């Protein structure tokens, strides 16, 4: 019996533990089975039609984004495991959704969080750095400077805003 939900869960675990190539290969094999010729690409049958465990595929997306979110604390984080030098992905939060765009070049990383719908309450943002070295950090909300402090542990940088920021639809936080 095919258990795509379990396969996706294993793939997410592989991504979280650094086995990104193996994760992508496993997902590729699942998608090859559900290619529209042999099995439906919109109904990964497992224990019956439209079984929910196939939704574990969303966990793979979260793992590859290195996504973390804690609504009550107002915390959002990303540590992309694929193409971190040129990364873009959607995210969902308690009161809205948006996108992260991250660019690295010339020893500089710019990470931008844009709210596309709803709102996002933030007190801190965690990011992964390429070489673990921080020389200067600046945060802006809609091009206005924000006061913030930083805490670094290895390649992980946590930027804590001096005051809570509420990003409304269309807002852009850049670090």
């Amino acid at each position: 019996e095919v258990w795509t939900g379990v396969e996706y869960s294993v793939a997410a675990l592989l991504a979280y533990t650094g086995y990104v190539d193996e994760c992508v290969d496993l997902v590729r094999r699942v998608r090859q089975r559900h290619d529209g010729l042999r099995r439906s690409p919109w109904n990964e049958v497992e224990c019956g039609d439209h079984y929910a465990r196939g939704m574990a595929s969303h966990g793979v997306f979260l793992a590859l984004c290195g996504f973390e979110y804690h609504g009550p604390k107002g915390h959002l984080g990303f540590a992309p495991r694929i193409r971190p030098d040129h990364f873009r992905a959607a995210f969902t939060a308690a009161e809205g959704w948006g996108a992260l765009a991250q660019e690295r070049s010339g020893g500089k990383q710019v990470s931008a969080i844009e709210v596309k719908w709803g709102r996002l309450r933030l007190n801190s943002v965690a990011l992964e750095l390429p070489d673990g070295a921080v020389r200067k950090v600046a945060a802006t909300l809609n091009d206005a400077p924000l006061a913030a402090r930083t805490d670094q542990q290895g390649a992980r940088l946590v930027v804590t805003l001096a005051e809570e920021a509420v990003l409304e639809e269309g807002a852009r936080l850049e670090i």
Side-chain angles (χ1 to χ4, degrees):
E1 185 171 332
V2 175
W3 283 22
T4 58
V6 173
E7 290 172 290
Y8 286 133
S9 296
V10 170
L13 179 62
L14 287 168
Y16 276 123
T17 55
Y19 295 96
V20 175
D21 292 340
E22 293 82 352
C23 164
V24 172
D25 185 54
L26 181 54
V27 171
R28 183 178 296 118
R29 290 170 187 265
V30 171
R31 299 309 317 142
Q32 285 172 345
R33 282 198 320 265
H34 295 273
D35 64 355
L37 295 175
R38 291 178 289 274
R39 292 183 177 93
S40 172
W42 297 285
N43 181 18
E44 295 175 354
V45 176
E46 179 181 336
C47 302
D49 283 344
H50 306 290
Y51 194 70
R53 194 162 39 209
M55 291 300 294
S57 61
H58 188 67
V60 176
F61 175 74
L62 298 176
L64 290 173
C65 292
F67 179 75
E68 57 189 67
Y69 174 69
H70 192 297
K73 288 184 180 179
H75 175 79
L76 186 67
F78 294 91
R81 290 169 170 82
I82 55 171
R83 298 183 51 201
D85 292 341
H86 182 72
F87 183 80
R88 186 166 175 84
F91 68 86
T92 57
E95 298 179 278
W97 61 271
L100 168 83
Q102 177 174 289
E103 295 289 333
R104 293 177 177 170
S105 66
K108 182 179 180 181
Q109 175 173 315
V110 176
S111 301
I113 297 165
E114 296 182 39
V115 175
K116 302 293 186 178
W117 182 87
R119 64 187 217 140
L120 175 65
R121 192 176 57 78
L122 282 181
N123 288 304
S124 62
V125 177
L127 301 167
E128 184 98 359
L129 303 174
D131 58 7
V134 174
R135 289 165 289 288
K136 181 182 174 187
V137 176
T140 61
L141 178 56
N142 300 326
D143 296 322
L146 287 178
R149 64 177 170 77
T150 61
D151 180 34
Q152 186 176 0
Q153 297 173 346
R156 180 182 165 89
L157 176 71
V158 178
V159 178
T160 303
L161 305 176
E163 294 183 23
E164 180 177 271
V166 178
L167 284 68
E168 300 288 343
E169 188 173 321
R172 177 183 172 93
L173 173 68
E174 191 170 285
I175 299 172

